[in-house]
Amino acid sequence: MGFNEKVHAFIAAKFYVHLTEEFGERGKKAFIHATQYYAEQRGRRMAQRAIRDGYDLTYETYLQYGEWVNTQYTIENEVSNQSKIEEISPHYLIHIHRCPWHAQFKEMGLIEAGHEYCEHLDNSICRGFNPYLTYEVDQTLHKSDYCIHRILNTNYKEIPQKPKKAAYLQSFDYHCGHSYWSYAEVTGAIFAEKGEQVNTQVLKDFTDEYGQEMADKLVSYKNTNFNVTNC
């Protein structure tokens, strides 16, 4: 199977489980904060590449500089991301009808975890990219028939058609490494020794689920600076 979107979701899901089991409401708040921290780092990397390439940090640019596309695994297993643009002016309105992250959280029976993750992820990526863009998530697939994402005041006359820049797409082993180590960094910072115990347990869960080779790859990203672009 290798690294893919569902593996990525598994990591966040396990952090939610262990943080809330160990720390209750404080653990939930830590999970949300870690999700925002992780996502804002992604957005900042996108912004760095866009600035280097001479682009303004508009939402149209944001669409071109995203770091992932559907993997072949999720396409073949019919859980790849599927969305529909419902409106482009005055706001850009997206309904998401299928998502591999939703599929993974659902399979694990973690509806609340999935909802908290998705409610705080994309708006935080956008905030990291440009905090002056307003990205709202009104509902998620975990508790509704579809996600609603709204980007305010785009005022487009036509749908942006430029594809994502292939040179800047990141592999899912990178994304999974980023996810684990950003959650681990926040968890350790907030809860000290007990937080490090959570980090160890999540890594054990990952190893039990996906094997030592994939776990070693995850660990190999420990010293990566995810705040800055690597390409």
Side-chain angles (χ1 to χ4, degrees), residues 41-54:
Q41 287 182 317
R42 271 176 60 180
R44 283 193 288 274
R45 293 195 301 263
M46 292 162 59
Q48 289 160 21
R49 297 175 190 124
I51 292 169
R52 181 180 60 199
D53 293 346

Side-chain angles (χ1 to χ4, degrees), residues 59 84-95 148-160:
Y59 184 66
K84 183 180 179 182
I85 300 167
E86 298 287 342
E87 178 184 304
I88 61 173
S89 183
H91 312 306
Y92 196 85
L93 181 66
I94 311 163
H95 289 181
I148 298 178
H149 290 202
R150 178 182 291 102
I151 300 84
L152 300 189
N153 302 315
T154 51
N155 295 304
Y156 291 138
K157 294 181 179 179
E158 57 184 28
I159 296 174

Side-chain angles (χ1 to χ4, degrees), residues 77-101:
N77 286 273
E78 299 182 342
V79 292
S80 56
N81 187 275
Q82 289 187 352
S83 61
K84 183 180 179 182
I85 300 167
E86 298 287 342
E87 178 184 304
I88 61 173
S89 183
H91 312 306
Y92 196 85
L93 181 66
I94 311 163
H95 289 181
I96 300 171
H97 298 274
R98 194 175 77 180
C99 169
W101 283 270

Side-chain angles (χ1 to χ4, degrees), residues 26-176:
R26 288 190 303 148
K28 180 178 177 179
K29 290 178 180 178
F31 175 82
I32 292 170
H33 179 71
T35 301
Q36 293 168 330
Y37 176 72
Y38 159 79
E40 288 170 5
Q41 287 182 317
R42 271 176 60 180
R44 283 193 288 274
R45 293 195 301 263
M46 292 162 59
Q48 289 160 21
R49 297 175 190 124
I51 292 169
R52 181 180 60 199
D53 293 346
Y55 287 91
D56 293 331
L57 300 183
T58 64
Y59 184 66
E60 186 173 4
T61 304
Y62 174 88
L63 292 173
Q64 295 178 61
Y65 279 79
E67 290 188 334
W68 70 276
V69 293
N70 290 311
T71 61
Q72 195 61 36
Y73 174 86
T74 58
I75 293 170
E76 291 174 355
N77 286 273
E78 299 182 342
V79 292
S80 56
N81 187 275
Q82 289 187 352
S83 61
K84 183 180 179 182
I85 300 167
E86 298 287 342
E87 178 184 304
I88 61 173
S89 183
H91 312 306
Y92 196 85
L93 181 66
I94 311 163
H95 289 181
I96 300 171
H97 298 274
R98 194 175 77 180
C99 169
W101 283 270
H102 168 254
Q104 180 66 32
F105 280 106
K106 184 177 180 180
E107 288 174 18
M108 296 173 73
L110 296 173
I111 293 173
E112 191 63 34
H115 177 74
E116 293 297 342
Y117 179 80
C118 293
E119 187 175 36
H120 298 284
L121 181 77
D122 287 280
N123 49 15
S124 297
I125 298 173
C126 192
R127 183 169 58 251
F129 179 77
N130 181 353
Y132 298 105
L133 298 176
T134 303
Y135 192 125
E136 299 175 340
V137 178
D138 294 346
Q139 65 184 42
T140 76
L141 263 171
H142 305 283
K143 294 186 176 182
S144 304
D145 292 335
Y146 49 86
C147 299
I148 298 178
H149 290 202
R150 178 182 291 102
I151 300 84
L152 300 189
N153 302 315
T154 51
N155 295 304
Y156 291 138
K157 294 181 179 179
E158 57 184 28
I159 296 174
Q161 297 292 342
K162 294 181 180 179
K164 290 183 180 178
K165 294 184 178 294
Y168 300 145
L169 297 176
Q170 298 291 323
S171 64
F172 265 94
D173 59 273
Y174 175 90
H175 284 304
C176 289

